[in-house]
PDB file of all heavy atoms in Angstrom:
ATOM      1  N   SER P 112      -2.325  83.070  60.442  1.00  0.00           N
ATOM      2  CA  SER P 112      -1.208  83.254  61.352  1.00  0.00           C
ATOM      3  C   SER P 112      -1.412  84.414  62.326  1.00  0.00           C
ATOM      4  O   SER P 112      -1.072  84.315  63.480  1.00  0.00           O
ATOM      5  CB  SER P 112       0.062  83.497  60.551  1.00  0.00           C
ATOM      6  OG  SER P 112      -0.165  84.479  59.576  1.00  0.00           O
ATOM      7  N   GLY P 113      -1.933  85.507  61.862  1.00  0.00           N
ATOM      8  CA  GLY P 113      -2.192  86.626  62.755  1.00  0.00           C
ATOM      9  C   GLY P 113      -0.944  87.146  63.440  1.00  0.00           C
ATOM     10  O   GLY P 113       0.150  87.096  62.906  1.00  0.00           O
ATOM     11  N   GLY P 114      -1.101  87.657  64.647  1.00  0.00           N
ATOM     12  CA  GLY P 114       0.027  88.207  65.365  1.00  0.00           C
ATOM     13  C   GLY P 114       0.981  87.120  65.835  1.00  0.00           C
ATOM     14  O   GLY P 114       2.096  87.397  66.199  1.00  0.00           O
ATOM     15  N   LYS P 115       0.514  85.895  65.834  1.00  0.00           N
ATOM     16  CA  LYS P 115       1.354  84.826  66.324  1.00  0.00           C
ATOM     17  C   LYS P 115       2.546  84.604  65.407  1.00  0.00           C
ATOM     18  O   LYS P 115       3.632  84.289  65.872  1.00  0.00           O
ATOM     19  CB  LYS P 115       0.539  83.537  66.434  1.00  0.00           C
ATOM     20  CG  LYS P 115       0.990  82.700  67.606  1.00  0.00           C
ATOM     21  CD  LYS P 115      -0.118  81.808  68.106  1.00  0.00           C
ATOM     22  CE  LYS P 115       0.297  80.372  67.983  1.00  0.00           C
ATOM     23  NZ  LYS P 115      -0.798  79.478  67.794  1.00  0.00           N
ATOM     24  N   GLY P 116       2.305  84.757  64.116  1.00  0.00           N
ATOM     25  CA  GLY P 116       3.400  84.595  63.180  1.00  0.00           C
ATOM     26  C   GLY P 116       4.508  85.585  63.447  1.00  0.00           C
ATOM     27  O   GLY P 116       5.680  85.254  63.344  1.00  0.00           O
ATOM     28  N   LEU P 117       4.132  86.778  63.843  1.00  0.00           N
ATOM     29  CA  LEU P 117       5.137  87.793  64.120  1.00  0.00           C
ATOM     30  C   LEU P 117       6.009  87.376  65.293  1.00  0.00           C
ATOM     31  O   LEU P 117       7.215  87.605  65.280  1.00  0.00           O
ATOM     32  CB  LEU P 117       4.475  89.134  64.421  1.00  0.00           C
ATOM     33  CG  LEU P 117       3.955  89.897  63.220  1.00  0.00           C
ATOM     34  CD1 LEU P 117       3.637  91.317  63.593  1.00  0.00           C
ATOM     35  CD2 LEU P 117       4.956  89.856  62.090  1.00  0.00           C
ATOM     36  N   ASP P 118       5.392  86.759  66.271  1.00  0.00           N
ATOM     37  CA  ASP P 118       6.166  86.327  67.425  1.00  0.00           C
ATOM     38  C   ASP P 118       7.162  85.246  67.019  1.00  0.00           C
ATOM     39  O   ASP P 118       8.293  85.223  67.508  1.00  0.00           O
ATOM     40  CB  ASP P 118       5.228  85.811  68.518  1.00  0.00           C
ATOM     41  CG  ASP P 118       5.837  85.969  69.888  1.00  0.00           C
ATOM     42  OD1 ASP P 118       6.122  87.124  70.257  1.00  0.00           O
ATOM     43  OD2 ASP P 118       6.051  84.944  70.558  1.00  0.00           O
ATOM     44  N   ALA P 119       6.740  84.399  66.120  1.00  0.00           N
ATOM     45  CA  ALA P 119       7.649  83.358  65.652  1.00  0.00           C
ATOM     46  C   ALA P 119       8.833  83.991  64.924  1.00  0.00           C
ATOM     47  O   ALA P 119       9.982  83.581  65.100  1.00  0.00           O
ATOM     48  CB  ALA P 119       6.903  82.397  64.720  1.00  0.00           C
ATOM     49  N   ILE P 120       8.559  84.996  64.124  1.00  0.00           N
ATOM     50  CA  ILE P 120       9.632  85.683  63.422  1.00  0.00           C
ATOM     51  C   ILE P 120      10.563  86.366  64.411  1.00  0.00           C
ATOM     52  O   ILE P 120      11.784  86.304  64.276  1.00  0.00           O
ATOM     53  CB  ILE P 120       9.046  86.714  62.438  1.00  0.00           C
ATOM     54  CG1 ILE P 120       8.277  85.984  61.335  1.00  0.00           C
ATOM     55  CG2 ILE P 120      10.138  87.580  61.841  1.00  0.00           C
ATOM     56  CD1 ILE P 120       7.518  86.893  60.405  1.00  0.00           C
ATOM     57  N   TYR P 121       9.959  86.979  65.418  1.00  0.00           N
ATOM     58  CA  TYR P 121      10.780  87.608  66.454  1.00  0.00           C
ATOM     59  C   TYR P 121      11.729  86.595  67.079  1.00  0.00           C
ATOM     60  O   TYR P 121      12.927  86.831  67.195  1.00  0.00           O
ATOM     61  CB  TYR P 121       9.882  88.227  67.525  1.00  0.00           C
ATOM     62  CG  TYR P 121      10.593  88.470  68.823  1.00  0.00           C
ATOM     63  CD1 TYR P 121      11.436  89.556  68.981  1.00  0.00           C
ATOM     64  CD2 TYR P 121      10.455  87.579  69.891  1.00  0.00           C
ATOM     65  CE1 TYR P 121      12.104  89.768  70.160  1.00  0.00           C
ATOM     66  CE2 TYR P 121      11.122  87.793  71.073  1.00  0.00           C
ATOM     67  CZ  TYR P 121      11.945  88.882  71.208  1.00  0.00           C
ATOM     68  OH  TYR P 121      12.615  89.083  72.380  1.00  0.00           O
ATOM     69  N   ARG P 122      11.176  85.474  67.488  1.00  0.00           N
ATOM     70  CA  ARG P 122      12.019  84.451  68.120  1.00  0.00           C
ATOM     71  C   ARG P 122      13.099  83.963  67.169  1.00  0.00           C
ATOM     72  O   ARG P 122      14.232  83.686  67.562  1.00  0.00           O
ATOM     73  CB  ARG P 122      11.160  83.282  68.601  1.00  0.00           C
ATOM     74  CG  ARG P 122      10.452  83.556  69.911  1.00  0.00           C
ATOM     75  CD  ARG P 122       9.874  82.266  70.435  1.00  0.00           C
ATOM     76  NE  ARG P 122       9.005  81.635  69.435  1.00  0.00           N
ATOM     77  CZ  ARG P 122       7.690  81.634  69.471  1.00  0.00           C
ATOM     78  NH1 ARG P 122       7.078  82.202  70.477  1.00  0.00           N
ATOM     79  NH2 ARG P 122       6.976  81.071  68.525  1.00  0.00           N
ATOM     80  N   SER P 123      12.707  83.846  65.913  1.00  0.00           N
ATOM     81  CA  SER P 123      13.652  83.341  64.922  1.00  0.00           C
ATOM     82  C   SER P 123      14.855  84.273  64.774  1.00  0.00           C
ATOM     83  O   SER P 123      16.010  83.840  64.822  1.00  0.00           O
ATOM     84  CB  SER P 123      12.925  83.188  63.590  1.00  0.00           C
ATOM     85  OG  SER P 123      13.758  82.599  62.638  1.00  0.00           O
ATOM     86  N   ILE P 124      14.573  85.539  64.606  1.00  0.00           N
ATOM     87  CA  ILE P 124      15.670  86.500  64.457  1.00  0.00           C
ATOM     88  C   ILE P 124      16.452  86.600  65.757  1.00  0.00           C
ATOM     89  O   ILE P 124      17.690  86.624  65.768  1.00  0.00           O
ATOM     90  CB  ILE P 124      15.121  87.880  64.054  1.00  0.00           C
ATOM     91  CG1 ILE P 124      14.403  87.773  62.695  1.00  0.00           C
ATOM     92  CG2 ILE P 124      16.240  88.904  63.976  1.00  0.00           C
ATOM     93  CD1 ILE P 124      13.822  89.079  62.210  1.00  0.00           C
ATOM     94  N   SER P 125      15.716  86.653  66.872  1.00  0.00           N
ATOM     95  CA  SER P 125      16.367  86.738  68.160  1.00  0.00           C
ATOM     96  C   SER P 125      17.327  85.575  68.362  1.00  0.00           C
ATOM     97  O   SER P 125      18.483  85.762  68.777  1.00  0.00           O
ATOM     98  CB  SER P 125      15.298  86.745  69.247  1.00  0.00           C
ATOM     99  OG  SER P 125      15.860  86.854  70.512  1.00  0.00           O
ATOM    100  N   ALA P 126      16.873  84.383  68.050  1.00  0.00           N
ATOM    101  CA  ALA P 126      17.732  83.210  68.219  1.00  0.00           C
ATOM    102  C   ALA P 126      18.957  83.308  67.320  1.00  0.00           C
ATOM    103  O   ALA P 126      20.073  82.989  67.731  1.00  0.00           O
ATOM    104  CB  ALA P 126      16.944  81.940  67.905  1.00  0.00           C
ATOM    105  N   ALA P 127      18.742  83.774  66.102  1.00  0.00           N
ATOM    106  CA  ALA P 127      19.873  83.894  65.175  1.00  0.00           C
ATOM    107  C   ALA P 127      20.929  84.847  65.715  1.00  0.00           C
ATOM    108  O   ALA P 127      22.128  84.625  65.552  1.00  0.00           O
ATOM    109  CB  ALA P 127      19.378  84.367  63.811  1.00  0.00           C
ATOM    110  N   ILE P 128      20.464  85.901  66.357  1.00  0.00           N
ATOM    111  CA  ILE P 128      21.417  86.857  66.911  1.00  0.00           C
ATOM    112  C   ILE P 128      22.143  86.266  68.109  1.00  0.00           C
ATOM    113  O   ILE P 128      23.359  86.340  68.232  1.00  0.00           O
ATOM    114  CB  ILE P 128      20.697  88.162  67.316  1.00  0.00           C
ATOM    115  CG1 ILE P 128      20.154  88.857  66.067  1.00  0.00           C
ATOM    116  CG2 ILE P 128      21.629  89.078  68.086  1.00  0.00           C
ATOM    117  CD1 ILE P 128      19.340  90.086  66.359  1.00  0.00           C
ATOM    118  N   ILE P 129      21.381  85.638  69.000  1.00  0.00           N
ATOM    119  CA  ILE P 129      21.981  85.089  70.213  1.00  0.00           C
ATOM    120  C   ILE P 129      22.969  83.980  69.894  1.00  0.00           C
ATOM    121  O   ILE P 129      23.988  83.827  70.561  1.00  0.00           O
ATOM    122  CB  ILE P 129      20.869  84.583  71.157  1.00  0.00           C
ATOM    123  CG1 ILE P 129      20.074  85.780  71.692  1.00  0.00           C
ATOM    124  CG2 ILE P 129      21.446  83.771  72.304  1.00  0.00           C
ATOM    125  CD1 ILE P 129      18.836  85.394  72.432  1.00  0.00           C
ATOM    126  N   GLU P 130      22.650  83.216  68.851  1.00  0.00           N
ATOM    127  CA  GLU P 130      23.547  82.115  68.485  1.00  0.00           C
ATOM    128  C   GLU P 130      24.705  82.570  67.598  1.00  0.00           C
ATOM    129  O   GLU P 130      25.455  81.738  67.078  1.00  0.00           O
ATOM    130  CB  GLU P 130      22.747  81.030  67.753  1.00  0.00           C
ATOM    131  CG  GLU P 130      21.720  80.351  68.620  1.00  0.00           C
ATOM    132  CD  GLU P 130      20.934  79.321  67.826  1.00  0.00           C
ATOM    133  OE1 GLU P 130      21.414  78.893  66.760  1.00  0.00           O
ATOM    134  OE2 GLU P 130      19.835  78.948  68.267  1.00  0.00           O
ATOM    135  N   HIS P 131      24.777  83.848  67.358  1.00  0.00           N
ATOM    136  CA  HIS P 131      25.866  84.407  66.555  1.00  0.00           C
ATOM    137  C   HIS P 131      25.804  83.972  65.098  1.00  0.00           C
ATOM    138  O   HIS P 131      26.809  84.005  64.410  1.00  0.00           O
ATOM    139  CB  HIS P 131      27.236  84.040  67.134  1.00  0.00           C
ATOM    140  CG  HIS P 131      27.434  84.541  68.516  1.00  0.00           C
ATOM    141  ND1 HIS P 131      28.558  84.256  69.254  1.00  0.00           N
ATOM    142  CD2 HIS P 131      26.662  85.317  69.318  1.00  0.00           C
ATOM    143  CE1 HIS P 131      28.456  84.829  70.456  1.00  0.00           C
ATOM    144  NE2 HIS P 131      27.309  85.474  70.516  1.00  0.00           N
ATOM    145  N   ARG P 132      24.643  83.523  64.657  1.00  0.00           N
ATOM    146  CA  ARG P 132      24.525  83.285  63.212  1.00  0.00           C
ATOM    147  C   ARG P 132      24.407  84.628  62.507  1.00  0.00           C
ATOM    148  O   ARG P 132      24.768  84.768  61.344  1.00  0.00           O
ATOM    149  CB  ARG P 132      23.290  82.422  62.909  1.00  0.00           C
ATOM    150  CG  ARG P 132      23.299  81.072  63.600  1.00  0.00           C
ATOM    151  CD  ARG P 132      22.434  80.075  62.844  1.00  0.00           C
ATOM    152  NE  ARG P 132      21.102  80.592  62.581  1.00  0.00           N
ATOM    153  CZ  ARG P 132      20.053  80.465  63.405  1.00  0.00           C
ATOM    154  NH1 ARG P 132      20.195  79.799  64.533  1.00  0.00           N
ATOM    155  NH2 ARG P 132      18.886  80.962  63.106  1.00  0.00           N
ATOM    156  N   LEU P 133      23.886  85.580  63.227  1.00  0.00           N
ATOM    157  CA  LEU P 133      23.924  86.967  62.762  1.00  0.00           C
ATOM    158  C   LEU P 133      24.893  87.703  63.682  1.00  0.00           C
ATOM    159  O   LEU P 133      24.657  87.800  64.884  1.00  0.00           O
ATOM    160  CB  LEU P 133      22.537  87.603  62.844  1.00  0.00           C
ATOM    161  CG  LEU P 133      21.536  87.204  61.771  1.00  0.00           C
ATOM    162  CD1 LEU P 133      20.156  87.721  62.116  1.00  0.00           C
ATOM    163  CD2 LEU P 133      21.981  87.734  60.419  1.00  0.00           C
ATOM    164  N   LYS P 134      25.960  88.189  63.131  1.00  0.00           N
ATOM    165  CA  LYS P 134      26.988  88.785  63.975  1.00  0.00           C
ATOM    166  C   LYS P 134      26.758  90.277  64.183  1.00  0.00           C
ATOM    167  O   LYS P 134      26.112  90.919  63.361  1.00  0.00           O
ATOM    168  CB  LYS P 134      28.353  88.549  63.338  1.00  0.00           C
ATOM    169  CG  LYS P 134      28.722  87.083  63.274  1.00  0.00           C
ATOM    170  CD  LYS P 134      30.179  86.888  62.919  1.00  0.00           C
ATOM    171  CE  LYS P 134      30.579  85.444  63.099  1.00  0.00           C
ATOM    172  NZ  LYS P 134      29.756  84.512  62.280  1.00  0.00           N
ATOM    173  N   PRO P 135      27.287  90.797  65.276  1.00  0.00           N
ATOM    174  CA  PRO P 135      27.162  92.232  65.537  1.00  0.00           C
ATOM    175  C   PRO P 135      27.620  93.043  64.335  1.00  0.00           C
ATOM    176  O   PRO P 135      28.661  92.749  63.752  1.00  0.00           O
ATOM    177  CB  PRO P 135      28.089  92.449  66.732  1.00  0.00           C
ATOM    178  CG  PRO P 135      28.056  91.156  67.443  1.00  0.00           C
ATOM    179  CD  PRO P 135      27.941  90.105  66.382  1.00  0.00           C
ATOM    180  N   GLY P 136      26.853  94.024  63.986  1.00  0.00           N
ATOM    181  CA  GLY P 136      27.178  94.855  62.842  1.00  0.00           C
ATOM    182  C   GLY P 136      26.450  94.426  61.570  1.00  0.00           C
ATOM    183  O   GLY P 136      26.353  95.200  60.627  1.00  0.00           O
ATOM    184  N   ALA P 137      25.964  93.199  61.545  1.00  0.00           N
ATOM    185  CA  ALA P 137      25.270  92.712  60.346  1.00  0.00           C
ATOM    186  C   ALA P 137      24.042  93.565  60.073  1.00  0.00           C
ATOM    187  O   ALA P 137      23.269  93.877  60.973  1.00  0.00           O
ATOM    188  CB  ALA P 137      24.875  91.255  60.533  1.00  0.00           C
ATOM    189  N   ARG P 138      23.912  93.927  58.838  1.00  0.00           N
ATOM    190  CA  ARG P 138      22.763  94.748  58.482  1.00  0.00           C
ATOM    191  C   ARG P 138      21.548  93.864  58.251  1.00  0.00           C
ATOM    192  O   ARG P 138      21.641  92.769  57.707  1.00  0.00           O
ATOM    193  CB  ARG P 138      23.054  95.570  57.234  1.00  0.00           C
ATOM    194  CG  ARG P 138      24.073  96.652  57.518  1.00  0.00           C
ATOM    195  CD  ARG P 138      24.146  97.640  56.395  1.00  0.00           C
ATOM    196  NE  ARG P 138      22.862  98.239  56.085  1.00  0.00           N
ATOM    197  CZ  ARG P 138      22.669  99.131  55.128  1.00  0.00           C
ATOM    198  NH1 ARG P 138      23.672  99.510  54.389  1.00  0.00           N
ATOM    199  NH2 ARG P 138      21.494  99.638  54.907  1.00  0.00           N
ATOM    200  N   LEU P 139      20.409  94.389  58.667  1.00  0.00           N
ATOM    201  CA  LEU P 139      19.158  93.657  58.530  1.00  0.00           C
ATOM    202  C   LEU P 139      18.218  94.491  57.658  1.00  0.00           C
ATOM    203  O   LEU P 139      17.465  95.326  58.142  1.00  0.00           O
ATOM    204  CB  LEU P 139      18.536  93.432  59.914  1.00  0.00           C
ATOM    205  CG  LEU P 139      19.422  92.696  60.916  1.00  0.00           C
ATOM    206  CD1 LEU P 139      18.821  92.745  62.306  1.00  0.00           C
ATOM    207  CD2 LEU P 139      19.626  91.249  60.483  1.00  0.00           C
ATOM    208  N   ARG P 140      18.285  94.251  56.366  1.00  0.00           N
ATOM    209  CA  ARG P 140      17.449  95.040  55.470  1.00  0.00           C
ATOM    210  C   ARG P 140      16.010  94.551  55.536  1.00  0.00           C
ATOM    211  O   ARG P 140      15.734  93.345  55.513  1.00  0.00           O
ATOM    212  CB  ARG P 140      17.982  94.971  54.040  1.00  0.00           C
ATOM    213  CG  ARG P 140      19.138  95.926  53.834  1.00  0.00           C
ATOM    214  CD  ARG P 140      19.646  95.862  52.420  1.00  0.00           C
ATOM    215  NE  ARG P 140      20.089  94.538  52.078  1.00  0.00           N
ATOM    216  CZ  ARG P 140      19.603  93.797  51.097  1.00  0.00           C
ATOM    217  NH1 ARG P 140      18.600  94.263  50.386  1.00  0.00           N
ATOM    218  NH2 ARG P 140      20.089  92.617  50.852  1.00  0.00           N
ATOM    219  N   GLU P 141      15.137  95.493  55.584  1.00  0.00           N
ATOM    220  CA  GLU P 141      13.739  95.153  55.763  1.00  0.00           C
ATOM    221  C   GLU P 141      13.200  94.345  54.591  1.00  0.00           C
ATOM    222  O   GLU P 141      12.479  93.366  54.783  1.00  0.00           O
ATOM    223  CB  GLU P 141      12.919  96.439  55.936  1.00  0.00           C
ATOM    224  CG  GLU P 141      13.286  97.199  57.185  1.00  0.00           C
ATOM    225  CD  GLU P 141      12.525  98.498  57.285  1.00  0.00           C
ATOM    226  OE1 GLU P 141      11.784  98.834  56.353  1.00  0.00           O
ATOM    227  OE2 GLU P 141      12.669  99.175  58.317  1.00  0.00           O
TER     228      GLU P 141
END
Side-chain angles (χ1 to χ4, degrees):
Chain P
S112 49
K115 214 154 119 209
L117 283 194
D118 207 60
I120 294 173
Y121 160 78
R122 281 192 305 256
S123 185
I124 298 180
S125 181
I128 294 175
I129 292 170
E130 294 178 19
H131 300 176
R132 301 204 308 271
L133 284 170
K134 295 192 170 58
R138 290 192 56 181
L139 303 170
R140 279 181 301 120
E141 296 177 356

